Each structure stands twice: as structure tokens, then as C-alpha cells.
Amino acid sequence: MSTSTAANAKTISTPLAKYPRWASLLVLCAGTLMTILDGNVVTVAMPAIQGDLGFSGPGLAWVVNAYLIPFGGLLLLVGRLGDLVGRKRMFTTGLAVFTVASVLCGVADSRALLVAARAVQGAGGAMTAAVVLGMLIALFPEPREQARAIAVFSAVGAAGGALGTFLGGALTQALNWHWIFLVNLPLGVVAWIAAVRVLAPEPGEGLGRGADFPGAALVTGALMLTVYAIVGAGSSTVTTTVVLALAALVLLGGFVLRQARAARPLLRLRLFRSRSLSGANGVQILMIAAMYGFQFVGALYLQRVLGYSELWTGVAFLPAPVLIGVLMLGLSARAVGRFGAHRVLMTGLALVVAGMLLMGRAPADGAYAVDVLPAFLLIAAGFAAAMPALTGLAMTGVGPEDAGLASGLFNTTQIVGGSLGLAVLTTLAASRTDALAERGERLAAATAAGYRLAFDGGAVCAAAALVATALVLRRSTP
């Protein structure tokens, strides 16, 4: 997210008065919806992509990770660049990059081209996501209207989760997986034209103020090497994995040193003095690791074990994101106000742990209504309770001058948790499946056992988040 949001809100409020604010909000929601749809629409199409392009089990995760890594690694940099060149310019450029990359994904006929195009998509997604909150705050500086605008924005996110899963299944089954990307072409063109016409222009601070490009290179490289080491752990030698992990640590250490000494760092290290901010970001990495793993492995379980088509996989997932959206807009905020963010977060994480453990019992001949749906609903209810509470805790005690940076950090750790969780849990599933298959186990039973181990791994991540919340965040809870 961009920095100096409070100051910029005052600076930009006069020009924005000439533009329709709620129409501008709809444009921002449309741009964000594209990135949310893309994350969910791909999950259901994974088996079709694997069968067509010949990805290995662990390698298939790179269809997601290739998007997540540049998205998370570039958020801080492009947020700062948005302040320098103007947020509207960054937003519209991001839409254009995302749309062109979507077309490249849609016409991809090789693993290398698809993964490369997904990486460009991730960069475009970061360019749009990094500036949205700052633009929204500038559009709606009055607290009550701002709360309404954020509610609309949150509802679009929840709807995007539900629509993405369903749309991915429908397009893949009715046409083919290429269309889950090609559908972004008309959506992107319309959103770009609307953004150019509706959003207010912003001059920005000027590139002369500077941005920490070396810092961005260090943190993105560290993240890429970390995920690569985890994904390749099952097929690489121990020496190779250790070398990659050490190289990632060196880059991360270089990033920290750079931020401590740079005149205009991407990430001001003093922010981490806040126990609430540091703890909330750590908890989020663990929680999102579990959630991404659940969504990815859950779709594979429905298709490869229970034999669901892409369309019916999307239908089967619908109750979870719909419940998340309903609870987030209707109950979560009131629950936090009445019981406190810490208690609501603890309750939500406990529900996620219970749902993951329930999915860890799912048999090879399971029934959706008995073995899947209850777990889906538990996990969805837990996430709906935990996420708003966690967001509030992450922003507790952050001054107006650091609000944009703290928001960008929160988005970044979300992507880090998702990519690392996906890499770890898919590697666990593939390793268990291969080991059982080599011992003569039936493929269906071996595959189900691999997915059960992944769900158990997700339960461990959520349980670790629960413990961290109890130990670290209690003292920082207002």
C-alpha cells in the first residue's frame, strides 16, 4: 500500500470533489475484483492445467506461486512508486499489465510460458492492489462514509472469492482452462477505460524523492529462493535445499541492513517495535498458509479423490466464501466491538483448526455432505471471525504517517504466508502419495492419504497461529 495516506487525503480531497466518488469506488472494486477472481479461478482448473501441460505435483504449485511471489515482493516498492508518480497512473498501468499478461496466460502452450506470464500477472496485480487503499481513503475522508466504502470493498472481495471458484469450474468444463485467463481481456479493457475516465488525476510527489530499488530486489529475491527451496525439497538433494535456504537468508539479511541504512527505505524497521503489528503479521503468515493450502488441496481432493468435475468443484466450494462474506459484513465487526479483537481472533483460529482436523479425516470414498461440507463451514466461519480482528490488531498503534506502510506490510505477509503454505502443504501431499504408491497402495487411497497429511499440516499452521495469538498478542490487545 502507498504511504502518507492521511496527508495525501487532505491534499487530494479538493480535486476529488470534481469526480463522482462512488463511481470511483466501483472502478477500484472492479480492478481489485480481477485480481481476486484470478487467485480463485485458477485453483479449480489446476488438474486440467496439469494434464494439458504436464506439470509434476510440486511443480503445479508454481502456477500459483509464480503469481504470488512478485505480487508480494513488489507491493512495498510499487506502493512507494504510486506516491511518486501518482496513484491513478500506477493503478491504470497495473490494470494494463495484468490484462496483457492474462492474454499471454490464456494462449500459453508450455509450462515455461504459463509460469512466466503468471509472474507478469503478479506484478500487475501488485501495481493495482498497492494503491487502492490510499485512493479509497482519499476519496472518503469522512469516517462514516469511509466505513461504508470499506464495507462495499470487503463485500466485493468476498463475492470475488465465491464467483472465482464457480467461474473457474464453469469455464474449464464448458470450454477449457485457457478461458479462465482470456475472460480477463474484456474485463480489463472495460476497467481500464473506466479508470482513465472516472478516477481523479494525482500528480504524485515526483520521482526525484526516490524509491529503494535495491531493497525491493533483495526482498523479492529472498522470497523467491525460499519458496523455490521448499517446492524443490522433495526432488532436490539436501545440499541443494540447504544452499538455497542459506542464500535466501543472506538476501533477507541484506534487505534488513539496507532498510536500516537507506535514506528512504521501503520498510521502516521502527514499525516492528509495535508488538501488535509484529505479532499480527506473524500470526497472519501462519493462518494464511493454512487457508491457501486448504483451498488448493481441497479442490484437488474433490476432483481427484471424489471424482468431481471442475463445475461441481466450484459449486461445492460456494458455501465457504459465501459464508465468509455474510459473516464479515454482518457479524464480525459487531463481535469484535463486543468481545474484543483478541477473543474473536482466538475463537476464529480455533474453528479453523477444528475444520482442518476434520478434513484430515476425509476418506477416499467420502461423501460431500458428511465428510467435506461441515469442515468447509467451520473453516469459513473461523476465517470470517479471525481476519477482521487480525486486521484491526495489525493497525493498532500505527500513526497516520505509517498507515499506508503498515497496510502494505500486512498485504505482503499475506502473500508470503500463502506462497509458503502452498509450497509446504503440496510438497507434503505429493511426498506421502508417492511413498504409499511405491509400497503398492492403490492410487486413490494413496492420493487421499497425501491430502489428509496436507490438511493436518494446515491444522498445525492454524494451531501455531492460535498459540502465537495467546502468547504474543494478548498484551497488545486494547
Side-chain angles (χ1 to χ4, degrees):
M1 296 291 176
S2 53
T3 59
S4 307
T5 51
N8 286 342
K10 296 178 182 179
T11 303
I12 301 170
S13 58
T14 301
L16 282 175
K18 302 177 182 178
Y19 293 81
R21 295 185 301 158
W22 289 98
S24 298
L25 174 63
L26 291 178
V27 171
L28 296 177
C29 288
T32 303
L33 180 63
M34 288 180 61
T35 61
I36 294 173
L37 280 174
D38 189 79
N40 288 61
V41 81
V42 172
T43 302
V44 184
M46 284 297 191
I49 294 173
Q50 184 177 23
D52 193 9
L53 299 183
F55 280 98
S56 64
L60 186 62
W62 278 99
V63 178
V64 176
N65 284 329
Y67 178 87
L68 293 178
I69 292 170
F71 190 108
L74 293 174
L75 274 171
L76 295 176
L77 175 62
V78 296
R80 175 59 179 158
L81 287 176
D83 287 336
L84 299 179
V85 305
R87 295 174 188 155
K88 176 180 178 179
R89 184 176 299 174
M90 182 60 68
F91 183 81
T92 53
T93 303
L95 282 178
V97 171
F98 186 91
T99 302
V100 172
S102 295
V103 175
L104 292 176
C105 290
V107 300
D109 57 359
S110 68
R111 296 189 298 271
L113 178 56
L114 179 59
V115 170
R118 287 285 286 163
V120 178
Q121 257 194 325
M127 295 166 74
T128 59
V131 297
V132 166
L133 184 58
M135 297 176 77
L136 189 149
I137 291 173
L139 280 166
F140 300 95
E142 196 276 320
R144 292 185 62 183
E145 285 195 334
Q146 188 177 111
R148 289 175 58 198
I150 292 175
V152 172
F153 191 75
S154 301
V156 168
L163 180 60
T165 307
F166 177 78
L167 187 62
L171 288 173
T172 302
Q173 185 163 324
L175 300 169
N176 55 59
W177 66 264
H178 296 275
W179 284 95
I180 67 174
F181 299 111
L182 294 175
V183 72
N184 285 331
L185 177 58
L187 294 176
V189 170
V190 172
W192 185 86
I193 293 173
V196 170
R197 294 178 62 87
V198 173
L199 296 180
E202 300 180 48
E205 301 174 13
L207 283 173
R209 295 292 300 274
D212 186 14
F213 293 103
L218 287 168
V219 71
T220 304
L223 178 58
M224 292 179 69
L225 282 177
T226 300
V227 177
Y228 185 80
I230 294 172
V231 171
S235 56
S236 301
T237 64
V238 174
T239 301
T240 300
T241 302
V242 170
V243 168
L244 289 172
L246 288 176
L249 287 175
V250 169
L251 289 177
L252 184 60
F255 172 72
V256 173
L257 290 176
R258 171 75 187 176
Q259 300 316 288
R261 299 177 179 178
R264 297 183 180 90
L266 277 179
L267 182 61
R268 290 187 285 275
L269 298 181
R270 62 179 173 79
L271 281 177
F272 291 102
R273 296 173 186 170
S274 168
R275 184 188 184 99
S276 180
L277 181 143
S278 299
N281 278 279
V283 167
Q284 178 172 234
I285 288 176
L286 294 166
M287 183 182 75
I288 297 299
M291 293 302 300
Y292 265 75
F294 152 70
Q295 185 173 348
F296 185 86
V297 179
L300 294 178
Y301 171 80
L302 289 173
Q303 293 181 67
R304 293 181 174 174
V305 177
L306 300 189
Y308 280 34
S309 66
E310 290 89 352
L311 175 60
W312 282 108
T313 298
V315 172
F317 261 92
L318 274 178
V322 169
L323 180 61
I324 289 172
V326 170
L327 292 180
M328 276 189 174
L329 292 178
L331 296 176
S332 296
R334 289 201 294 268
V336 170
R338 181 172 181 181
F339 301 107
H342 183 267
R343 290 180 180 177
V344 174
L345 176 57
M346 292 278 288
T347 302
L349 289 171
L351 291 174
V352 172
V353 172
M356 289 290 182
L357 290 175
L358 197 58
M359 281 302 297
R361 297 175 58 252
D365 57 350
Y368 174 76
V370 176
D371 300 302
V372 178
L373 182 59
F376 276 23
L377 296 179
L378 278 173
I379 294 169
F383 182 76
M387 196 62 195
L390 189 60
T391 304
L393 288 170
M395 301 302 291
T396 299
V398 177
E401 71 280 4
D402 291 323
L405 186 58
S407 297
L409 176 63
F410 195 66
N411 278 333
T412 301
T413 56
Q414 187 174 106
I415 300 303
V416 170
S419 59
L420 294 181
L422 188 61
V424 171
L425 297 184
T426 54
T427 300
L428 282 176
S431 299
R432 169 62 69 87
T433 298
D434 292 343
L436 292 177
E438 289 176 1
R439 290 181 352 213
E441 190 80 32
R442 289 187 305 107
L443 181 59
T447 303
Y451 294 154
R452 285 196 296 270
L453 179 61
F455 289 129
D456 287 340
V460 170
C461 290
L466 183 61
V467 172
T469 300
L471 296 179
V472 178
L473 289 178
R474 177 178 293 277
R475 293 181 185 176
S476 63
T477 305

